[in-house]
């Protein structure tokens, strides 16, 4: 039976004696002592800055961080409110996101990402139509969305019937969608088959 002793970091934890124990500190106190060392802090800072140069590492960390924050506020209204207020305070200073001028690359990126979050359900070629409908007097979001969903259903139906109205073609062409001839397999003009030739070789 090994003996115990109190952590010398002053945290009051009871530690067990081990033969190969290197310090008289618990893990937390040991980490705190290391963090106070400026040389160690500089080394850690340089390492993390170097790692963040790697876009793969960076995006993985950002995703993990975002997921962690979302999980932490999911069932914690107080933390959500604290974050909301601190965001407002930061915006009021003119720093943070507010420091980005309109039309700057991060703003454009944020705008696109926001659109994807809010309008992800709406196909891109109908988004302008949705905004137009929504702009009408007294139009509610649910009603505008229902109208677009009706249009989506109509599109699916017309595609199934193989017909597209002239207005529909025009609207799509204006929205940047090319109208192409539907592919129809023709009867081959030779009377032999490519028997024995794997499709991968053609
Ligand atoms: Zn301790």
């Amino acid at each position: 039976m090994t003996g115990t002793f109190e952590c010398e970091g002053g945290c009051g934890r009871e530690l067990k004696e081990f033969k190969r124990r290197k310090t008289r500190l618990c893990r937390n106190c040991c980490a705190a002592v290391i963090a106070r060392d400026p040389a160690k802090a500089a080394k850690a800072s340089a390492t993390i800055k170097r790692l963040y140069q790697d876009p793969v590492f960076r995006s993985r960390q950002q995703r993990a961080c975002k997921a962690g924050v979302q999980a932490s506020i999911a069932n914690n209204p107080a933390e959500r409110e604290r974050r909301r207020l601190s965001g407002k305070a930061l915006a009021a200073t003119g720093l943070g996101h507010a420091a980005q001028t309109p039309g700057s690359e991060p703003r454009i990126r944020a705008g696109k990402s926001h659109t994807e979050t809010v309008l992800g359900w709406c196909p891109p070629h109908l988004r302008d139509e949705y905004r137009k409908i929504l702009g009408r007097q007294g139009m509610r979001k649910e009603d505008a969305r229902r109208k677009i969903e009706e249009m989506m259903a109509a599109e699916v139906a017309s595609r199934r019937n193989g017909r597209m109205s002239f207005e529909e073609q025009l609207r799509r062409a204006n929205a940047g969608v090319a109208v192409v001839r539907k592919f129809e397999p023709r009867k081959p003009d030779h009377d032999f088959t490519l028997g024995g030739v794997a499709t991968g070789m053609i």
Side-chain angles (χ1 to χ4, degrees):
M1 184 72 192
T2 48
T4 60
F5 66 99
E6 197 182 310
C7 168
E8 290 179 9
C11 68
R13 281 192 188 86
E14 184 93 339
L15 301 180
K16 281 183 188 162
E17 289 283 8
F18 291 119
K19 238 186 192 169
R20 294 195 181 85
R21 187 177 275 291
K22 288 181 188 166
T23 69
R24 306 294 287 169
L25 303 167
C26 71
R27 281 175 75 161
N28 291 25
C29 291
C30 191
V33 168
I34 289 171
R36 276 198 295 273
D37 178 353
K40 282 271 184 190
K43 194 178 164 196
S45 165
T47 303
I48 203 75
K49 278 179 184 154
R50 180 172 51 75
L51 285 172
Y52 263 85
Q53 298 291 312
D54 174 9
V56 176
F57 178 88
R58 191 186 179 88
S59 76
R60 201 173 53 212
Q61 292 297 106
Q62 283 170 338
R63 268 202 310 276
C65 192
K66 193 175 170 187
V69 168
Q70 281 173 345
S72 81
I73 61 172
N75 296 310
N76 190 346
E79 175 61 11
R80 183 189 290 262
E81 182 61 10
R82 191 193 68 77
R83 286 183 167 268
R84 195 179 69 81
L85 291 177
S86 85
K88 281 196 132 184
L90 177 63
T93 63
L95 299 169
H97 291 181
Q100 294 295 340
T101 51
S104 65
E105 198 262 326
R107 274 228 192 168
I108 291 172
R109 195 154 24 94
K112 279 186 182 156
S113 147
H114 178 71
T115 303
E116 246 357 275
T117 307
V118 178
L119 281 181
W121 60 270
C122 182
H125 71 278
L126 288 176
R127 286 181 185 175
D128 279 346
E129 191 66 33
Y130 172 74
R131 292 188 187 102
K132 216 164 77 188
I133 296 173
L134 199 59
R136 288 182 202 152
Q137 192 82 38
M139 181 59 77
R140 291 184 312 159
K141 271 187 189 166
E142 306 88 273
D143 297 333
R145 178 168 179 167
R146 206 173 51 242
K147 278 189 192 298
I148 293 295
E149 281 169 350
E150 281 166 16
M151 289 171 78
M152 285 157 69
E155 275 183 12
V156 171
S158 80
R159 220 172 293 141
R160 205 176 292 137
N161 292 337
R163 284 197 310 272
M164 204 189 276
S165 70
F166 176 69
E167 288 76 15
E168 175 61 13
Q169 288 186 27
L170 195 66
R171 199 182 56 70
R172 286 192 169 207
N174 287 338
V177 179
V179 179
V180 294
R181 185 178 292 281
K182 197 175 144 204
F183 171 73
E184 276 171 26
R186 278 178 302 127
K187 207 174 162 332
D189 49 8
H190 47 74
D191 56 1
F192 56 87
T193 64
L194 292 170
V197 179
T199 38
M201 291 168 70
I202 296 171

